[in-house]
Amino acid sequence: MSASNSLLLEIHELTAGYGSIEVLHGVSIQVHTGEIVSLIGGNGAGKSTSLSCISGIVPLRSGAVRFAGESLAGVAAHAIVKRGLVQVPEGRKIFPRMTVLENLRMGAYARTDRAAIESDLEEVYALFEILKGRSSQLGGTLSGGEQQMLAIGRALMSRPKLLMMDEPSMGIAPLLVAKIFEAVKSLRARGLTILLVEQNARAALKLADRGYVLETGRVVLSGTGAELLSDPRVQAAYLGE
Amino acid sequence: MFDWFDSDVLLQQLLLGLSNGMIIALIALGYTMVYGIIELINFAHGDLFMLGSFLALTLVGAAMNCGLVDPALMGESSHWWLLGTLVVVCGIFCGGLNLCIDHFAYKPLRRASKLSQLVAAIGVSFIIVNLGLFWGGLPMEVLGGGGAAAAPKDFPHLVSDVNLLGEESFVVMTWNDVVIFVVTIPLMIGLTLFVKFTKLGMAMRATAQHATAARLMGVDVNKVIAATFAIGGFLGGAASVLYANYNSTVSFQMGFRAGMDAFTAAVLGGIGSLPGAMLGGLLIGLVRAMSDQYVGSEWTNVVVFSLLVLILIFRPTGLLGLKQREKV
């Protein structure tokens, strides 16, 4: 494996849950530097819980999460962000009573390099032009698609090494979904590593280098995006064919 | 009796109402900031304020004992330095104490139900009231001091009682009024700028609006909550000095009423909203003054708490609050 293709995120036999309910029963996923990896599966399969657990929002019960060679067990959520592992949460979760600009600045909260923050701000505005014109508008007044762009832009402001996106297409007009997947593509072209959770399996697998299929808290299939797209089980269960 | 159209009486009550209202507003900010960030009504906040005034009284007594101030000159000459020192020291004291309260009483319950936290707050309130009772029993060498532990204690005017509007004027305004505005207005402006522009202020707003998202942005939410308690406590401590100086008396029970006034102010303005707490405080101060004059002071608590009930029924979001809480 070449240096540019090194293991960035390694999740090994992860179990996690809420209260007495265990949601993940031993999930193992690997993400290499520069890859787009898609995690697909139905409702309640444990996709979002996996991301929450990696981000430190939901505590892991057993198994291991290693990022850039270091264990994340017991590391607080805010400290995980500092290491460059950042999530665009499900449902966007932008700050509704902060302006677009303030939301983006919150993304750079863990950083101290002021000059670079300003230039990154311009890059985010270049990626999502619509945000620039709305920089002084309150986040809560944006449309769903615009909020999704803001959420992605906000996460980019942290200069992530690995960006995790949780259902970026959920509840968004089709035209904007296309735009958001365009943006994901162009981010990968710039060398960003992406772990993408999606219900829209077709779009997610088309984009992905590799993918994992999650069912009731377990990985049941994995392979390259193309392999999974042509797999009859995936086609039957997730592609409606 | 009074004359309904006596403009002097009205002016005097307006001034009293504004002065007390500014103090209530300062306390209300502590309620609203904590509520905004962890949705806890910190019932101990009013009692924390009471403890601040006891520290102020003790320090004034100490200053007299050390010969730093002459008891005979209290109310005659102005001891600006003493007042300023007390505001800062009592502010830091209450801020620090509030930080400890959060750490030992509320933080362990952060993931517990809201009811558990509320009961904890009520418990802390009882503890502080009894600390106040204990403190009141300590020998304190102040004007008219001593007496039973539970007895209200005289607090001297630290600045001059001379009427700034002239000897002839019916309406009395002294430096004791002015100092309230001199202290509270910069604190409120400072707080507003702090929350709007500093990194910690931004983190406080972000945490209030979406705590999980704030964590995902790298915000250490526990630190932000601690800072909120410290700042709210500081404002309460500063208010306690102004209150004692203006109303000339402190008692271990005063935290309850002041706390209820401030809580009502926070709800009236829209709980969670900083400008709301400021506006609500001023309005409650004015309502109290008008009620004291035109309804009768024995009815004032009834008026204020009826107002609280009416707001909760008809406009639970308050005057400047959000139309509805954002969820998900």
Side-chain angles (χ1 to χ4, degrees):
Chain A
M1 203 174 282
S2 72
S4 67
N5 212 7
S6 63
L7 192 58
L8 185 58
L9 178 71
E10 184 184 20
I11 296 153
H12 184 69
E13 290 295 321
L14 184 67
T15 68
Y18 310 88
S20 60
I21 302 160
E22 191 178 274
V23 179
L24 306 179
H25 313 294
V27 171
S28 297
I29 294 170
Q30 297 184 337
V31 182
H32 299 93
T33 304
E35 272 187 323
I36 294 187
V37 173
S38 287
L39 203 53
I40 63 169
N43 257 333
K47 308 187 299 293
S48 291
T49 305
S50 300
L51 292 199
S52 294
C53 192
I54 298 167
S55 280
I57 298 289
V58 171
L60 95 172
R61 294 188 174 171
S62 69
V65 179
R66 296 180 71 79
F67 180 66
E70 288 174 58
S71 169
L72 295 185
V75 179
H78 63 90
I80 290 175
V81 174
K82 277 204 178 100
R83 297 187 182 195
L85 181 50
V86 177
Q87 186 186 150
V88 182
E90 183 180 8
R92 283 110 42 194
K93 296 189 174 50
I94 55 142
F95 304 113
R97 280 163 279 126
M98 290 178 121
T99 65
V100 166
L101 180 60
E102 285 175 328
N103 266 280
L104 291 174
R105 288 205 184 283
M106 276 310 297
Y109 183 81
R111 294 171 59 183
T112 49
D113 47 341
R114 282 195 182 193
I117 290 173
E118 296 309 312
S119 69
D120 284 3
L121 201 53
E122 287 311 313
E123 273 195 40
V124 168
Y125 282 149
L127 186 65
F128 299 118
E129 277 169 23
I130 199 156
L131 295 180
K132 185 159 192 172
R134 313 220 153 163
S135 65
S136 57
Q137 202 172 317
L138 291 184
T141 65
L142 301 181
S143 75
E146 291 163 350
Q147 288 190 3
Q148 188 64 57
M149 293 179 194
L150 178 56
I152 296 170
R154 185 178 63 173
L156 290 174
M157 287 303 292
S158 67
R159 279 212 177 166
K161 290 186 188 128
L162 195 162
L163 186 68
M164 300 190 288
M165 302 170 96
D166 197 350
E167 306 274 8
S169 73
M170 191 171 69
I172 289 170
L175 204 66
L176 287 173
V177 170
K179 235 180 175 164
I180 283 163
F181 279 114
E182 271 314 303
V184 173
K185 251 188 229 167
S186 82
L187 289 172
R188 192 265 287 275
R190 295 183 206 178
L192 187 62
T193 309
I194 295 167
L195 176 57
L196 177 65
V197 160
E198 259 296 342
Q199 285 205 0
N200 184 346
R202 188 185 307 275
L205 290 176
K206 268 187 187 162
L207 208 61
D209 298 301
R210 293 187 306 111
Y212 293 84
V213 180
L214 218 55
E215 263 171 31
T216 57
R218 285 189 179 84
V219 173
V220 292
L221 268 178
S222 64
T224 66
E227 281 168 4
L228 290 176
L229 272 174
S230 58
D231 188 294
R233 286 165 293 178
V234 173
Q235 286 177 345
Y238 303 106
L239 302 177
E241 286 171 12
Chain B
M1 284 305 285
F2 55 84
D3 177 353
W4 279 99
F5 301 103
D6 189 331
S7 59
D8 278 348
V9 170
L10 182 65
L11 269 179
Q12 182 68 73
Q13 289 298 346
L14 280 176
L15 180 61
L16 260 169
L18 281 178
S19 300
N20 277 314
M22 291 302 273
I23 297 173
I24 295 171
L26 220 46
I27 309 169
L29 284 169
Y31 277 100
T32 222
M33 286 171 75
V34 165
Y35 183 85
I37 225 147
I38 54 172
E39 291 184 12
L40 166 71
I41 295 162
N42 180 12
F43 275 114
H45 191 63
D47 304 301
L48 183 78
F49 156 88
M50 174 275 293
L51 224 47
S53 72
F54 271 62
L55 177 66
L57 186 66
T58 305
L59 292 176
V60 169
M64 285 176 179
N65 279 345
C66 299
L68 291 171
V69 289
D70 183 351
L73 289 179
M74 283 298 177
E76 304 271 329
S77 60
S78 293
H79 303 90
W80 292 108
W81 63 270
L82 181 56
L83 191 75
T85 309
L86 288 179
V87 166
V88 174
V89 171
C90 294
I92 292 172
F93 170 72
C94 288
L97 197 58
N98 219 18
L99 201 65
C100 296
I101 291 170
D102 171 52
H103 189 79
F104 292 109
Y106 304 150
K107 197 176 164 195
L109 295 173
R110 209 81 89 203
R111 284 160 192 267
S113 75
K114 296 273 177 257
L115 188 62
S116 315
Q117 299 181 25
L118 204 64
V119 172
I122 293 169
V124 172
S125 164
F126 285 147
I127 292 171
I128 299 182
V129 168
N130 282 287
L131 278 177
L133 188 58
F134 170 76
W135 199 331
L138 299 176
M140 284 188 280
E141 292 295 324
V142 191
L143 301 172
K153 288 146 192 16
D154 293 341
F155 195 97
H157 274 166
L158 299 177
V159 288
S160 165
D161 282 335
V162 172
N163 190 353
L164 297 170
L165 301 176
E167 294 284 309
E168 309 296 304
S169 167
F170 174 83
V171 181
V172 178
M173 183 175 82
T174 74
W175 284 112
N176 292 291
D177 291 285
V178 177
V179 74
I180 291 175
F181 296 91
V182 170
V183 173
T184 55
I185 291 173
L187 280 178
M188 288 177 184
I189 293 174
L191 179 70
T192 307
L193 296 177
F194 173 83
V195 166
K196 182 99 183 97
F197 294 114
T198 67
K199 207 168 171 179
L200 180 56
M202 294 253 292
M204 286 167 72
R205 281 191 291 148
T207 305
Q209 292 176 30
H210 213 303
T212 305
R215 290 173 72 192
L216 290 174
M217 295 301 108
V219 174
D220 184 345
V221 166
N222 274 326
K223 262 191 199 158
V224 169
I225 295 170
T228 306
F229 273 90
I231 293 169
F234 181 91
L235 298 176
S240 77
V241 177
L242 298 173
Y243 179 93
N245 183 59
Y246 192 63
N247 294 299
S248 305
T249 178
V250 302
S251 119
F252 79 104
Q253 286 170 316
M254 71 189 226
F256 180 71
R257 209 207 75 195
M260 286 310 283
D261 281 348
F263 173 62
T264 307
V267 173
L268 174 61
I271 192 133
S273 155
L274 298 188
M278 298 176 198
L279 176 67
L282 277 182
L283 290 176
I284 293 297
L286 288 171
V287 165
R288 286 201 77 93
M290 293 304 133
S291 166
D292 280 349
Q293 180 68 34
Y294 299 113
V295 182
S297 59
E298 69 273 31
W299 291 102
T300 296
N301 282 340
V302 177
V303 169
V304 170
F305 299 135
S306 304
L307 190 63
L308 176 61
V309 172
L310 290 175
I311 305 157
L312 287 175
I313 295 171
F314 293 109
R315 202 180 161 87
T317 54
L319 296 173
L320 303 181
L322 300 164
K323 288 282 174 285
Q324 63 201 33
R325 276 233 306 281
E326 275 106 338
K327 277 288 164 205
V328 180

